Amino acid sequence: NAGVMQNPRHLVRRRGQEARLRCSPMKGHSHVYWYRQLPEEGLKFMVYLQKENIIDESGMPKERFSAEFPKEGPSILRIQQVVRGDSAAYFCASSLGDRVYEQYFGPGTRLTVT
Amino acid sequence: AQSVAQPEDQVNVAEGNPLTVKCTYSVSGNPYLFWYVQYPNRGLQFLLKYITGDNLVKGSYGFEAEFNKSQTSFHLKKPSALVSDSALYFCAVRDNRGGYQKVTFGIGTKLQVIP
């Protein structure tokens, strides 16, 4: 059973460009979470999605950031008009359900904004 | 609001000695508790969880954790540390009340096992 897949692993964008981060959950998992990790700041929750629905986006910045998990295909985290402060590691995780179920993490996408 | 505290930024232990990584939590209801490990440039890996039942939970790679309700703690332990255990460890908590409840992660504790 393949794990959580994320691509690209590394992404370099100039200020003002768009960044698209993709996440394919583990087979059979319909719950997807996105996190951002900055050095010395731990793991920050961004958004929780189920197929075609955003369940909790309380950690998402109000502007420039959006996420989707369509019926077919991977979950996408989209960052428009990137700024240097967006440089971070972005992790996707999936789970079989919520509540008692643990999350399985992808290897992350390291975004660098120049 | 729920929260997780990992009071030590870094824990140093000699190879072969027992290790403990501390975690305390705060939830309104009862907790579901999780430990994850992160190696450099990798995603987090699940180690173990407490849902209900026996307070001592055994997980991957010889790790275990003890749930202590009175002290609201869930410390991670291993009887004999290996150099390969050196990594970043995250504690996480979720309230077990009904409906959707977010998982909250601690800030992480860096474990350094010294040969």
Side-chain angles (χ1 to χ4, degrees), chain A residues 22-99:
Chain A
R22 292 174 184 78
C23 169
S24 296
M26 285 183 70
K27 188 175 180 181
H29 287 192
S30 59
H31 299 247
V32 167
Y33 309 79
W34 285 94
Y35 296 87
R36 178 163 61 179
Q37 186 175 36
L38 290 163
E40 314 304 325
E41 290 191 18
L43 203 65
K44 299 296 185 185
F45 167 80
M46 299 182 74
V47 62
Y48 163 43
L49 311 102
Q50 295 179 25
K51 282 287 187 181
E52 300 185 275
N53 289 302
I54 297 175
I55 307 301
D56 181 357
E57 57 182 348
S58 59
M60 288 274 274
K62 292 289 185 280
E63 297 177 351
R64 302 188 297 109
F65 285 73
S66 63
E68 62 177 9
F69 188 18
K71 186 177 180 180
E72 301 290 339
S75 175
I76 306 287
L77 179 68
R78 182 182 178 203
I79 311 173
Q80 295 178 291
Q81 300 175 331
V82 296
V83 301
R84 288 220 172 107
D86 297 333
S87 295
Y90 292 83
F91 290 96
C92 167
S94 73
S95 67
L96 196 57
D98 62 2
R99 298 177 63 75

Side-chain angles (χ1 to χ4, degrees), chain B residues 23-69:
Chain B
C23 171
T24 59
Y25 66 89
S26 174
V27 294
S28 298
N30 290 312
Y32 296 141
L33 293 153
F34 306 82
W35 274 103
Y36 293 83
V37 60
Q38 185 181 30
Y39 297 99
N41 300 313
R42 304 283 294 277
L44 279 67
Q45 295 179 33
F46 169 72
L47 277 179
L48 52 79
K49 66 182 177 184
Y50 170 82
I51 302 301
T52 187
D54 194 345
N55 289 343
L56 185 64
V57 179
K58 294 187 183 296
S60 306
Y61 312 120
F63 284 93
E64 58 188 28
E66 186 165 12
F67 170 59
N68 187 317
K69 187 172 183 177

